[in-house]
Amino acid sequence: MKKIFCMALSAALLAGSMPAYAAEESLFTKTPHTFTAKVGTTEFTKDGAAQPLDVPMYIKDGYVMLPLRTFMQALDADATLAWSNGTKLAEVTLHDFKLTFDINGNRIWAKSSQLPVFGQMEVKDGRVFVPLRDWEGVLKCFSRYIVDADALSWDAETKTAAVQLTELTAVTANDTSSVKGTGEAAVFGIPLTERYDDIKSIGCDYFIAEKYLNQDSGKPNEDGNWDTDWFVLDHQGKVLYAYDSKDVSYLRGYGDGFLRLDKRDGTTLILDVKDNTQFEVAYSAPYGFSEGLAVVLDAADQKYVYVDTKGKVAIPLSFDEAEGFSEGLAAVGVDLPKEEGRQSAETRYGYIDKKGGWVIEPKYRNAYAFQDGLAKVEDTDRNIGYIDKTGKEVIPLRYRKITDFWNGKAFAREKSGEVILIDTTGKKLKSIITGKYMVDWVDCGNGIISVDVTEQVAPGREEYATLYFDENGRISEKDAEWRMRLSEGLAPYQDEKTGKYGYVGEDGTWVIAPTFDFARDFKDGYAVVSKKVTLANGKEDVQWGTVCHPI
């Protein structure tokens, strides 16, 4: 299987997005700054405002010497400096960027790159002094600054040095989250317990829990895994079935309410949730059931076939590529005769029904699952559009890229580079962003795309930013973060103040208060959560459980 499908989640798009992004807008605002340093005094300014300085600046070997901490904090009030008196190293964190000033070696490092230095750094009056000219190379390391060749100047009459630079601020810098409210206390399906080390939902009100057995040793097995006992739980946490690590190496959901159990003797069984063995897997079967059929790989001829829930071949045909069934049809691929000089054969995709009959002949370079009666396909010229179940082009194959539909709308990229919003008939609803800035974009799901954009900020220099859009225009990254994870109308989200996770509704209001250290998406009315705790014996542990959907 070559294609990765995005999960379709159920939720409505929010209103109140930022305006659509206009082509003439700049991605960055430019703020000029001027720093002045008057030698022999403590007069150091930024844009005319005095900066804290308790020791005078001076000239050494023709270079103006300025305390490191003074200029650093004039650039960023949150900058930090850690000093090692033994090694004479100053570790500076400036705008989340680390710099190292080696006083004894007279070297400056930005990450693993050594920067040019002028004059000799030194410690004087309890301060680390650095030649002002050294800051020219330092500032050029930061994408947020534009430093021209004539950035430094000297006024011999007033003995004043000046540094001029331009600070870049991305349009996204001041984006905030619209999440509001406080939320209600969670109602638990499976109460929090330290009995397990992980819980995963397999749907239909069933869960798989794991208990790691050799964690006290601090080392997993040679294969990188822990010895694990496995449990199948109901929605209240009752253990329905338990599987010992001595016999079972792995247990996971296999779709349509089935389980796949890998035994240590090398056999693989497909079970139902009542622990009844359906069949022993005779194929390579990495993919689960969908609509009663599973794709398996016949190792003998390296072809894909479909089997039913008893393990019997359901479609007496084999394919070079195959996907799960969706809305009664499955995308499958057949290889064309290999051309001379090519390393591999080209594959053409079409769609079959559950009897194996071709409903849409294999003629596409790529074909994706049907959703709401439409499927995305790509022709051999890499043009993308949508077809219906008869193979009719509903959205003409004319786009370079197109997203899944969400509430009847999708994003599409024209050959010109413009990204537009279309409806299920292909009608253009609005322009989202032109090709002026765009480098690439990604379908984030839930009606949201992320767009990598670039702009020339100075001659020979480009800077990048990532913007997020919904059907109404640009949204903040913080809002995109939780909206991308909306499932069953709720999204796990980490509270910015407490660092705890809770669940946010479609309108951006806390529904379940943030009290957890980890939270998964909702599935069939339940979501798995965990919480760090200190036990009565003082040992740190993690409790796992599930919360119920409040509606």
Side-chain angles (χ1 to χ4, degrees), residues 115 187 226 454 530:
L115 305 181
V187 175
W226 305 96
T454 182
S530 70

Short mmCIF file of all heavy atoms in Angstrom, two decimals, residues 115 187 226 454 530:
data_model
loop_
_atom_site.label_atom_id
_atom_site.label_comp_id
_atom_site.label_asym_id
_atom_site.label_seq_id
_atom_site.Cartn_x
_atom_site.Cartn_y
_atom_site.Cartn_z
N LEU A 115 32.09 31.82 14.91
CA LEU A 115 31.85 33.12 14.29
C LEU A 115 33.13 33.94 14.26
O LEU A 115 34.04 33.74 15.08
CB LEU A 115 30.77 33.88 15.07
CG LEU A 115 29.43 33.15 15.26
CD1 LEU A 115 28.45 34.04 16.03
CD2 LEU A 115 28.84 32.76 13.92
N VAL A 187 -16.12 12.79 33.56
CA VAL A 187 -16.85 11.60 34.01
C VAL A 187 -16.10 10.40 33.41
O VAL A 187 -15.88 10.35 32.20
CB VAL A 187 -18.31 11.61 33.55
CG1 VAL A 187 -19.00 10.31 33.93
CG2 VAL A 187 -19.04 12.81 34.14
N TRP A 226 9.07 -4.38 25.79
CA TRP A 226 8.94 -4.88 27.16
C TRP A 226 8.13 -6.17 27.16
O TRP A 226 7.27 -6.36 26.30
CB TRP A 226 8.24 -3.85 28.03
CG TRP A 226 8.86 -2.48 28.04
CD1 TRP A 226 8.51 -1.42 27.29
CD2 TRP A 226 9.96 -2.06 28.85
NE1 TRP A 226 9.31 -0.34 27.56
CE2 TRP A 226 10.22 -0.69 28.51
CE3 TRP A 226 10.76 -2.67 29.81
CZ2 TRP A 226 11.23 0.03 29.10
CZ3 TRP A 226 11.78 -1.93 30.41
CH2 TRP A 226 12.01 -0.60 30.06
N THR A 454 7.11 32.07 1.78
CA THR A 454 8.42 32.73 1.80
C THR A 454 8.30 34.14 1.27
O THR A 454 7.40 34.44 0.48
CB THR A 454 9.44 31.94 0.96
OG1 THR A 454 10.71 32.59 1.04
CG2 THR A 454 9.01 31.87 -0.50
N SER A 530 -4.37 9.93 30.77
CA SER A 530 -3.47 9.47 31.83
C SER A 530 -3.07 10.64 32.72
O SER A 530 -3.17 11.80 32.32
CB SER A 530 -2.23 8.79 31.26
OG SER A 530 -1.39 9.72 30.63
#
